[in-house]
Amino acid sequence: MSVPPISPSSSPPSDDDNPMNGILAAMKTPQASCVLSKRPTPNNEDFDELEDDSAPGGTSGNPLTTNPFTTPTGPNPNDLIAVKNFAARKKLKTEQLAEVEVFLQDPPHVRDAKTFALLHSVFNKVEEIIVATPAFEVSDDLRKNINSYSVAMLLSSHIASYKGAPATDSLLKLLLRLPLGIPAGITANAADYNRLQSAVSDALTQTRATFKKHLAIRRKGGPEPDIFTLARTFIKNTKCELSVPLCCRIALMRMVFKKHTANDFWDKLDAQYAVIVQGAKGSATALVRAFEFIYESDKKQHIGDGSGVGPRPDASISGIQQQVDDLMLAAQLDVMTTAAAATSAAQQAAESSSPDVFTSQAA
């Protein structure tokens, strides 16, 4: 519905006119009848009426200097009773109840200062509690879990390195994602984190030593065990189960171990695995085909005594192995995403800092 124009010289709208006309006319009034955004000043005619003559200097109405809980004769009785009852329900001590009553009578700026001081007191108490907390120790249960997950990680299809700091860091990140009773924020405590890191490093060292012993097993006067028998030796007394991907990883270990049985075995294994990954050029299909070739070659070379039974065709990866694989894959994706974001940011920064070709030519 259109609104008819209003002439500046028109008379004030009557009650019979369109209500919108009155609103528009009020908006064009040179001076409003009241000021909504300013407090009265001594130049206002009504200022004297707003002042409280009972307060010295006329400041009793200022919310910054007055206490809403007090009256000229003392604390408001009803408020005081209500606050005391509330404090009593919170089981405050006698001296604390007295402090509450005094706090109730304080002006606002004093209450704010006291509250700020009490916050510092609370912070000091919290720091004392943190300092008094006993040092973190790797429990027997946590150590068992670390050993169990170290086996699953070294047999994972998503492992990036078998030895050194990369392997330790991978297992640490994996453990921190699991509900194993590790204190939250342990990475911020250097001493506690070093204890956990030492336990993880020891577990990986022991697991690698056990794997090498399994690879060196050879029946007296007989052939080397087939891949299935060997794999069952690896996962004995662990939560891992026999599967084709697990056999593929063990077949790779045996292939390298045949040529490098000395202390450099794990270094040579990392190097061989890096060559395979580089040859796949980021193709998951190519990587799977490479391990299938290693797996089939091992089965042909090591028949054993014929008693080895492979995994069922429909056998799935065990719970702990699947959990470890998923967590390690997620960690790799996080690293790839972070690296991609950093590369993109660097490219954008380089483009923004490079001179404009057309502008340079025009100049």
Side-chain angles (χ1 to χ4, degrees):
M1 174 173 153
S2 60
V3 179
I6 302 175
S7 173
S9 60
S10 61
S11 58
S14 63
D15 294 339
D16 297 335
D17 294 333
N18 189 333
M20 198 64 185
N21 291 337
I23 295 174
L24 295 174
M27 294 171 62
K28 295 183 178 181
T29 303
Q31 182 176 359
S33 59
C34 64
V35 180
L36 300 178
S37 60
K38 291 179 61 180
R39 289 175 50 82
T41 62
N43 294 329
N44 295 120
E45 296 179 357
D46 297 334
F47 179 73
D48 294 336
E49 298 179 4
L50 296 175
E51 281 191 337
D52 187 355
D53 296 334
S54 63
T59 60
S60 64
N62 188 344
L64 299 177
T65 57
T66 58
N67 189 333
F69 298 107
T70 61
T71 64
T73 59
N76 187 307
N78 294 332
D79 293 338
L80 184 58
I81 293 173
V83 172
K84 281 186 174 181
N85 291 337
F86 177 80
R89 289 196 301 271
K90 297 303 177 182
K91 299 180 181 181
L92 298 185
K93 300 178 182 178
T94 304
E95 59 272 18
Q96 293 174 332
L97 290 172
E99 291 180 2
V100 170
E101 184 174 351
V102 174
F103 186 82
L104 193 64
Q105 302 178 58
D106 289 333
H109 64 281
V110 175
R111 293 203 305 271
D112 291 342
K114 284 185 176 180
T115 302
F116 187 67
L118 287 173
L119 284 175
H120 280 294
S121 177
V122 171
F123 292 153
N124 293 338
K125 294 294 183 183
V126 171
E127 289 179 354
E128 292 177 2
I129 294 173
I130 294 175
V131 172
T133 302
F136 167 75
E137 295 292 342
V138 179
S139 64
D140 292 339
D141 290 339
L142 179 57
R143 199 175 298 276
K144 290 179 181 178
N145 284 321
I146 293 174
N147 292 334
S148 179
Y149 281 101
S150 68
V151 174
M153 192 199 78
L154 290 177
L155 295 176
S156 172
S157 299
H158 299 290
I159 190 171
S161 178
Y162 290 93
K163 185 183 177 182
T168 303
D169 291 342
S170 295
L171 184 53
L172 278 169
K173 292 178 181 178
L174 187 151
L175 294 172
L176 292 175
R177 290 170 175 252
L178 297 169
L180 300 177
I182 299 175
I186 191 174
T187 54
N189 189 320
D192 291 349
Y193 190 67
N194 286 339
R195 292 188 186 92
L196 178 63
Q197 192 175 34
S198 177
V200 168
S201 179
D202 291 345
L204 287 172
T205 300
Q206 293 175 8
T207 302
R208 285 192 293 263
T210 302
F211 282 5
K212 280 191 68 176
K213 290 180 181 179
H214 294 331
L215 291 170
I217 290 177
R218 187 167 186 169
R219 295 181 179 180
K220 294 181 180 180
E224 293 185 20
D226 59 85
I227 188 61
F228 307 124
T229 302
L230 180 61
R232 284 189 171 88
T233 305
F234 269 72
I235 62 177
K236 184 179 180 180
N237 298 326
T238 71
K239 295 181 180 179
C240 298
E241 296 179 3
L242 190 66
S243 65
V244 172
L246 185 142
C247 291
C248 290
R249 292 289 165 165
I250 296 176
L252 172 64
M253 292 181 188
R254 178 150 62 176
M255 183 186 75
V256 177
F257 187 76
K258 281 188 172 184
K259 296 182 178 180
H260 306 280
T261 59
N263 294 331
D264 63 345
F265 163 69
W266 294 104
D267 295 322
K268 297 297 183 180
L269 179 61
D270 276 338
Q272 185 64 61
Y273 180 59
V275 171
I276 295 173
V277 172
Q278 291 174 1
K281 298 180 180 180
S283 172
T285 302
L287 193 62
V288 169
R289 288 174 179 170
F291 274 98
E292 284 179 347
F293 176 83
I294 296 171
Y295 171 63
E296 294 296 335
S297 299
D298 188 282
K299 286 198 300 181
K300 293 177 181 178
Q301 294 176 15
H302 306 95
I303 302 175
D305 59 4
S307 62
V309 179
R312 300 190 315 272
D314 59 343
S316 59
I317 300 176
S318 63
I320 185 173
Q321 192 67 65
Q322 186 65 57
Q323 183 184 34
V324 169
D325 288 351
D326 291 343
L327 289 173
M328 294 187 69
L329 179 59
Q332 291 176 9
L333 292 176
D334 288 344
V335 172
M336 293 172 59
T337 302
T338 303
T343 303
S344 177
Q347 292 177 349
Q348 292 180 359
E351 292 174 357
S352 61
S353 62
S354 61
D356 191 338
V357 177
F358 297 101
T359 304
S360 300
Q361 292 178 352

